[in-house]
Amino acid sequence: MKKYAAGIDIGGTNLRLGVVREDGKLESETSVPLGPARSAGPDAQVGFIAGNIKKFIWETEKNGGKKIDVIGIGVAGQVDEASGVVLFSPNLNWHGVPLKKAVEEAAGLKTCVTNDLTAIAYGEWRFGAGRGYDDLICIFAGTGIGSGIITGGGVLEGCSGAAGEIGHITVVSGGRKCTCGNRGCLEAYAGGWGMAEIAKERALASGAGNGDFQSMVKTAGGVDLLTAEVIALEYYAGNKAAVDLVGETALYLADGVITAVNLLNPCAVILGGGVIDGIPEIFDTVKVEVFKRALKAATSKMAMLKSGLGKAAGVIGAAAWAAASQHP
């Protein structure tokens, strides 16, 4: 009898839920917008998430005929895996949220909660682009930026489970304010929210005299509605302001990757996430910069790869992580 796990990826705007077979095959998937819950408090958010997971499990088992053995959840932020408490999630503004307990009470199934990039890195290593590499870094640029690290054939978790927060390395001393409270973090310059904030600031500073920024604002429907997706649309329309901003974003991301490569000397770097999916040219720029500027000893045997699991990486990784016997 096949074994199935539910993989849950809690993003900045959507809740992705999937059923994953023990060989890593994604059997089914759905997405639920966080919507009004996005601006609600942690209790309401957790209630919304746990309720949707319960509904998904019930529908899967009743209509799909698949028995779910375990639930795996990936969330952006720092997680105490033993208790399943989300210590801090900047995207959701969570502090000390007992997510594991809430989901287990709602769904009645054993649940494992981990950092989303830890789960993604594990999934890519087992079933995606990272197969065959026992030393790799998986870096995803979406709303924020995170990484998961496989070293010596195991996941690097760190003393308190917080290893891999590449989005919060400092790339500009005293620079832009980050959601984590620090200044100059990588994701404040190369994450989706960072790109949007920079575009908003430049649009307001340029006023009506800059047609390129006004075009972006018009496409967005207002300066406050500027997003990374709008920037991507304008980039492909040839908008110079968008082209320049994307170029800067790629260079900042390359700086972060170079730091990780020089520090950890991986056999492979896997890049993915919404920013790179939306503007694939960023991957090409990062790759060129890394092999040009990183230490040659660190890159001589290294591969630079795109995510093999794509948009399903979070769901597959969370399910695989939960199903792995070494994670009680």
mmCIF file of all heavy atoms in Angstrom, residues 33-34 51 77 83 90 99 105 112 119 126-127 141-142 146 161 172 207 212 245 258 282 288 297-298 300-301 305:
data_model
loop_
_atom_site.group_PDB
_atom_site.id
_atom_site.type_symbol
_atom_site.label_atom_id
_atom_site.label_comp_id
_atom_site.label_asym_id
_atom_site.label_seq_id
_atom_site.Cartn_x
_atom_site.Cartn_y
_atom_site.Cartn_z
ATOM 1 N N PRO A 33 -5.809 31.426 -1.074
ATOM 2 C CA PRO A 33 -5.301 32.754 -0.719
ATOM 3 C C PRO A 33 -5.492 33.017 0.773
ATOM 4 O O PRO A 33 -6.546 32.688 1.343
ATOM 5 C CB PRO A 33 -6.168 33.698 -1.559
ATOM 6 C CG PRO A 33 -6.779 32.858 -2.625
ATOM 7 C CD PRO A 33 -6.926 31.489 -2.033
ATOM 8 N N LEU A 34 -4.486 33.583 1.403
ATOM 9 C CA LEU A 34 -4.619 33.935 2.816
ATOM 10 C C LEU A 34 -5.648 35.044 3.001
ATOM 11 O O LEU A 34 -6.302 35.131 4.030
ATOM 12 C CB LEU A 34 -3.263 34.331 3.397
ATOM 13 C CG LEU A 34 -2.241 33.204 3.530
ATOM 14 C CD1 LEU A 34 -0.925 33.734 4.061
ATOM 15 C CD2 LEU A 34 -2.763 32.100 4.447
ATOM 16 N N GLY A 51 -7.820 25.168 9.846
ATOM 17 C CA GLY A 51 -9.119 24.784 9.300
ATOM 18 C C GLY A 51 -9.029 24.329 7.853
ATOM 19 O O GLY A 51 -9.687 23.347 7.455
ATOM 20 N N GLY A 77 10.621 31.488 8.395
ATOM 21 C CA GLY A 77 10.930 31.967 9.735
ATOM 22 C C GLY A 77 11.681 30.932 10.541
ATOM 23 O O GLY A 77 12.034 29.857 10.041
ATOM 24 N N SER A 83 8.954 21.395 19.443
ATOM 25 C CA SER A 83 7.630 21.801 19.913
ATOM 26 C C SER A 83 6.697 22.202 18.776
ATOM 27 O O SER A 83 5.484 22.288 18.962
ATOM 28 C CB SER A 83 7.758 22.978 20.888
ATOM 29 O OG SER A 83 8.281 24.121 20.216
ATOM 30 N N PRO A 90 8.763 36.781 9.993
ATOM 31 C CA PRO A 90 8.581 38.196 9.646
ATOM 32 C C PRO A 90 7.458 38.443 8.651
ATOM 33 O O PRO A 90 6.755 39.447 8.740
ATOM 34 C CB PRO A 90 9.946 38.602 9.068
ATOM 35 C CG PRO A 90 10.611 37.316 8.675
ATOM 36 C CD PRO A 90 10.105 36.298 9.634
ATOM 37 N N LEU A 99 2.067 26.408 16.154
ATOM 38 C CA LEU A 99 1.404 25.944 14.931
ATOM 39 C C LEU A 99 1.169 24.437 14.942
ATOM 40 O O LEU A 99 0.091 23.962 14.566
ATOM 41 C CB LEU A 99 2.237 26.341 13.715
ATOM 42 C CG LEU A 99 1.665 25.997 12.346
ATOM 43 C CD1 LEU A 99 0.316 26.672 12.125
ATOM 44 C CD2 LEU A 99 2.647 26.395 11.236
ATOM 45 N N GLU A 105 -4.434 19.325 16.601
ATOM 46 C CA GLU A 105 -5.761 19.310 17.230
ATOM 47 C C GLU A 105 -6.868 19.381 16.179
ATOM 48 O O GLU A 105 -7.912 18.743 16.325
ATOM 49 C CB GLU A 105 -5.888 20.477 18.210
ATOM 50 C CG GLU A 105 -5.062 20.298 19.476
ATOM 51 C CD GLU A 105 -5.153 21.499 20.411
ATOM 52 O OE1 GLU A 105 -5.748 22.534 20.008
ATOM 53 O OE2 GLU A 105 -4.650 21.399 21.546
ATOM 54 N N CYS A 112 4.656 17.832 11.496
ATOM 55 C CA CYS A 112 6.021 18.328 11.644
ATOM 56 C C CYS A 112 6.091 19.720 11.029
ATOM 57 O O CYS A 112 5.653 19.923 9.893
ATOM 58 C CB CYS A 112 7.020 17.416 10.940
ATOM 59 S SG CYS A 112 7.026 15.723 11.547
ATOM 60 N N ALA A 119 12.841 22.608 4.381
ATOM 61 C CA ALA A 119 12.008 21.604 3.708
ATOM 62 C C ALA A 119 12.305 21.556 2.216
ATOM 63 O O ALA A 119 12.444 20.470 1.634
ATOM 64 C CB ALA A 119 10.534 21.916 3.949
ATOM 65 N N ARG A 126 16.450 15.151 -2.178
ATOM 66 C CA ARG A 126 15.905 13.801 -2.329
ATOM 67 C C ARG A 126 15.315 13.555 -3.711
ATOM 68 O O ARG A 126 15.495 12.476 -4.291
ATOM 69 C CB ARG A 126 14.810 13.576 -1.283
ATOM 70 C CG ARG A 126 15.293 13.410 0.152
ATOM 71 C CD ARG A 126 15.889 12.054 0.422
ATOM 72 N NE ARG A 126 15.037 10.962 -0.054
ATOM 73 C CZ ARG A 126 13.955 10.504 0.584
ATOM 74 N NH1 ARG A 126 13.593 11.046 1.739
ATOM 75 N NH2 ARG A 126 13.255 9.501 0.085
ATOM 76 N N PHE A 127 14.577 14.534 -4.243
ATOM 77 C CA PHE A 127 13.764 14.281 -5.427
ATOM 78 C C PHE A 127 13.943 15.280 -6.572
ATOM 79 O O PHE A 127 13.365 15.091 -7.636
ATOM 80 C CB PHE A 127 12.277 14.263 -5.037
ATOM 81 C CG PHE A 127 11.939 13.298 -3.943
ATOM 82 C CD1 PHE A 127 11.483 13.748 -2.716
ATOM 83 C CD2 PHE A 127 12.087 11.931 -4.136
ATOM 84 C CE1 PHE A 127 11.169 12.854 -1.702
ATOM 85 C CE2 PHE A 127 11.780 11.027 -3.119
ATOM 86 C CZ PHE A 127 11.316 11.491 -1.900
ATOM 87 N N ALA A 141 14.360 32.972 -3.778
ATOM 88 C CA ALA A 141 13.990 34.380 -3.666
ATOM 89 C C ALA A 141 12.519 34.522 -4.042
ATOM 90 O O ALA A 141 12.158 34.367 -5.209
ATOM 91 C CB ALA A 141 14.866 35.241 -4.587
ATOM 92 N N GLY A 142 11.690 34.760 -3.062
ATOM 93 C CA GLY A 142 10.272 34.985 -3.289
ATOM 94 C C GLY A 142 9.883 36.298 -2.638
ATOM 95 O O GLY A 142 10.537 37.309 -2.857
ATOM 96 N N GLY A 146 15.370 32.961 1.480
ATOM 97 C CA GLY A 146 15.840 32.000 2.461
ATOM 98 C C GLY A 146 16.699 30.953 1.801
ATOM 99 O O GLY A 146 16.779 30.867 0.573
ATOM 100 N N GLY A 161 18.238 25.541 15.328
ATOM 101 C CA GLY A 161 17.381 25.309 14.176
ATOM 102 C C GLY A 161 17.224 26.489 13.246
ATOM 103 O O GLY A 161 16.336 26.500 12.393
ATOM 104 N N VAL A 172 24.441 45.693 2.819
ATOM 105 C CA VAL A 172 24.674 47.141 2.839
ATOM 106 C C VAL A 172 24.670 47.592 4.293
ATOM 107 O O VAL A 172 23.614 47.618 4.933
ATOM 108 C CB VAL A 172 23.593 47.920 2.049
ATOM 109 C CG1 VAL A 172 23.868 49.426 2.123
ATOM 110 C CG2 VAL A 172 23.526 47.464 0.602
ATOM 111 N N GLY A 207 8.284 61.675 -8.996
ATOM 112 C CA GLY A 207 7.123 62.503 -9.330
ATOM 113 C C GLY A 207 6.600 62.217 -10.728
ATOM 114 O O GLY A 207 6.904 61.204 -11.355
ATOM 115 N N ASP A 212 8.835 56.474 -16.948
ATOM 116 C CA ASP A 212 9.047 55.054 -16.694
ATOM 117 C C ASP A 212 8.400 54.626 -15.381
ATOM 118 O O ASP A 212 7.713 53.607 -15.309
ATOM 119 C CB ASP A 212 10.545 54.740 -16.661
ATOM 120 C CG ASP A 212 11.188 54.839 -18.030
ATOM 121 O OD1 ASP A 212 10.475 54.576 -19.025
ATOM 122 O OD2 ASP A 212 12.373 55.160 -18.113
ATOM 123 N N LEU A 245 16.196 48.317 -12.169
ATOM 124 C CA LEU A 245 15.928 47.741 -10.853
ATOM 125 C C LEU A 245 16.167 46.238 -10.848
ATOM 126 O O LEU A 245 16.754 45.694 -9.900
ATOM 127 C CB LEU A 245 14.490 48.053 -10.421
ATOM 128 C CG LEU A 245 14.042 47.507 -9.058
ATOM 129 C CD1 LEU A 245 15.016 47.913 -7.956
ATOM 130 C CD2 LEU A 245 12.633 47.975 -8.735
ATOM 131 N N ILE A 258 27.441 34.552 -3.542
ATOM 132 C CA ILE A 258 28.906 34.494 -3.466
ATOM 133 C C ILE A 258 29.364 34.321 -2.024
ATOM 134 O O ILE A 258 30.264 33.524 -1.730
ATOM 135 C CB ILE A 258 29.521 35.769 -4.091
ATOM 136 C CG1 ILE A 258 29.346 35.737 -5.612
ATOM 137 C CG2 ILE A 258 31.000 35.898 -3.724
ATOM 138 C CD1 ILE A 258 29.587 37.075 -6.278
ATOM 139 N N ILE A 282 17.385 36.768 -14.146
ATOM 140 C CA ILE A 282 18.118 36.982 -12.891
ATOM 141 C C ILE A 282 19.027 35.797 -12.605
ATOM 142 O O ILE A 282 20.169 35.967 -12.158
ATOM 143 C CB ILE A 282 17.133 37.234 -11.727
ATOM 144 C CG1 ILE A 282 16.468 38.612 -11.899
ATOM 145 C CG2 ILE A 282 17.855 37.164 -10.379
ATOM 146 C CD1 ILE A 282 15.427 38.936 -10.845
ATOM 147 N N VAL A 288 26.596 34.101 -13.823
ATOM 148 C CA VAL A 288 27.795 34.743 -14.382
ATOM 149 C C VAL A 288 28.607 35.412 -13.276
ATOM 150 O O VAL A 288 29.841 35.266 -13.196
ATOM 151 C CB VAL A 288 27.398 35.775 -15.462
ATOM 152 C CG1 VAL A 288 28.593 36.643 -15.837
ATOM 153 C CG2 VAL A 288 26.853 35.070 -16.695
ATOM 154 N N ALA A 297 38.615 28.376 -5.959
ATOM 155 C CA ALA A 297 38.699 27.088 -5.268
ATOM 156 C C ALA A 297 37.316 26.603 -4.840
ATOM 157 O O ALA A 297 37.072 25.398 -4.744
ATOM 158 C CB ALA A 297 39.605 27.207 -4.049
ATOM 159 N N ALA A 298 36.404 27.556 -4.596
ATOM 160 C CA ALA A 298 35.055 27.193 -4.152
ATOM 161 C C ALA A 298 34.128 26.845 -5.312
ATOM 162 O O ALA A 298 33.118 26.158 -5.122
ATOM 163 C CB ALA A 298 34.458 28.335 -3.329
ATOM 164 N N SER A 300 35.291 25.628 -8.487
ATOM 165 C CA SER A 300 35.921 24.798 -9.525
ATOM 166 C C SER A 300 35.147 23.509 -9.805
ATOM 167 O O SER A 300 35.171 22.997 -10.925
ATOM 168 C CB SER A 300 37.365 24.458 -9.127
ATOM 169 O OG SER A 300 37.384 23.715 -7.915
ATOM 170 N N LYS A 301 34.450 22.976 -8.800
ATOM 171 C CA LYS A 301 33.688 21.737 -8.987
ATOM 172 C C LYS A 301 32.196 21.947 -8.756
ATOM 173 O O LYS A 301 31.443 20.979 -8.611
ATOM 174 C CB LYS A 301 34.209 20.656 -8.041
ATOM 175 C CG LYS A 301 35.661 20.282 -8.269
ATOM 176 C CD LYS A 301 36.106 19.209 -7.281
ATOM 177 C CE LYS A 301 37.560 18.836 -7.508
ATOM 178 N NZ LYS A 301 38.019 17.800 -6.537
ATOM 179 N N LEU A 305 22.362 25.466 -10.463
ATOM 180 C CA LEU A 305 21.191 24.798 -11.025
ATOM 181 C C LEU A 305 19.901 25.538 -10.699
ATOM 182 O O LEU A 305 19.797 26.213 -9.668
ATOM 183 C CB LEU A 305 21.085 23.373 -10.460
ATOM 184 C CG LEU A 305 22.338 22.495 -10.569
ATOM 185 C CD1 LEU A 305 22.187 21.267 -9.692
ATOM 186 C CD2 LEU A 305 22.578 22.098 -12.014
#
